[in-house]
Amino acid sequence: ALQKVFYQLAFGDEPPSTTELTAAFGWDSHESFTQHDVQEFLRVLMDDLESKFKGCGPAEGTIDRLFGGRMRKVIRCLNVPYESSRVETWYDVQMPVQGCANLYESFDCLVRPEQLTGDNRYQAGDGFGLQDAEMFNVFEALPPVLHLILMRYRYDPERDATVKINDRFAFPVNLNLDRYMSDSADRSVSQDYVLHSVLVHAGDVHGGHYTACIL
């Protein structure tokens, strides 16, 4: 069904129908006309493709090879020799937007250490108890195709509601992410990316439409 959509986009004279595609991963007609976030759609589609590729020879593992990345979340105590970390896998990265002028500033914000002090001290293991610490992210591996999701929605406590951030946000055509990789990352793999497409959302938190701008 996905192949048919791409074929019709390339060679058809009319906009292709997506009914067969959405039905293929379990959305009925009701779901197809319900507002869905693009990140939700992406994950549903990828999970279904990954499941259907199992046992299909060379196709098995394609989704992970193309889109799978790894990030290490680290908590490091400031005054005692204790550190905790765990590696998480993902198919997209949620990028902060508020207070960031461009994509590099978003990455800076994503990896910037958060101080765990005062009432927010970290409960360290090995008998160290509550300790001042810092918590930060570092990338272990990035995929060949990198999906970045801009976090344009936030909770506003004054309104007691979720609002959309419409601030200007810039992103380069060429992106190098070497500086955000961990010391243990494979440095022989290029971290240079070229912008391929952008999904633009027109609307508010209650609904809207997406337009795909493909370079």
Side-chain angles (χ1 to χ4, degrees):
L2 185 61
Q3 286 178 323
K4 286 182 180 179
V5 170
F6 284 131
Y7 179 85
Q8 290 165 355
L9 283 170
F11 300 105
D13 296 325
E14 300 292 334
S17 169
T18 58
T19 302
E20 185 178 351
L21 174 61
T22 51
F25 57 74
W27 282 4
D28 56 21
S29 57
H30 173 73
E31 286 281 356
S32 298
F33 289 96
T34 302
Q35 293 283 347
H36 289 280
D37 181 76
V38 68
Q39 185 180 28
E40 176 191 3
F41 170 78
L42 178 65
R43 291 182 175 178
V44 168
L45 178 60
M46 284 191 168
D47 287 346
D48 193 69
L49 285 171
E50 189 173 37
S51 175
K52 285 182 167 63
F53 283 160
K54 288 182 179 179
C56 292
E60 185 169 356
T62 296
I63 298 299
D64 186 64
R65 288 193 297 272
L66 285 178
F67 307 106
R70 299 193 308 276
M71 177 186 289
R72 182 177 298 276
K73 291 186 175 291
V74 181
I75 300 178
R76 179 180 296 156
C77 292
L78 302 178
N79 302 313
V80 298
Y82 184 84
E83 179 176 299
S84 173
S85 70
R86 72 178 188 273
V87 175
E88 297 180 351
T89 59
W90 43 263
Y91 288 157
D92 56 64
V93 185
Q94 298 187 66
M95 306 300 297
V97 170
Q98 189 172 20
C100 301
N102 55 58
L103 202 52
Y104 280 116
E105 289 188 12
S106 284
F107 272 102
D108 291 341
C109 182
L110 195 65
V111 302
R112 184 178 300 128
E114 175 186 351
Q115 301 302 307
L116 304 179
T117 58
D119 293 337
N120 197 31
R121 286 186 297 170
Y122 173 63
Q123 182 69 45
D126 295 344
F128 287 116
L130 289 173
Q131 293 288 332
D132 291 340
E134 60 179 9
M135 179 171 61
F136 59 92
N137 301 308
V138 63
F139 290 95
E140 291 286 342
L142 293 173
V145 181
L146 181 62
H147 281 148
L148 303 178
I149 308 294
L150 302 187
M151 298 171 62
R152 285 202 173 271
Y153 299 97
R154 68 175 180 87
Y155 175 72
D156 185 343
E158 294 184 1
R159 304 185 197 178
D160 189 25
T162 300
V163 297
K164 183 179 179 181
I165 303 169
N166 287 307
D167 299 346
R168 184 182 186 276
F169 187 82
F171 37 86
V173 173
N174 297 288
L175 184 71
N176 178 270
L177 300 177
D178 283 332
R179 75 184 85 165
Y180 305 107
M181 306 304 295
S182 73
D183 294 337
S184 59
D186 185 355
R187 296 291 172 172
S188 67
V189 178
S190 172
Q191 310 303 336
D192 292 315
Y193 289 89
V194 178
L195 183 65
H196 176 70
S197 61
V198 178
L199 276 178
V200 180
H201 180 261
D204 56 24
V205 67
H206 301 294
H209 296 279
Y210 289 99
T211 302
C213 303
I214 303 173
L215 302 183

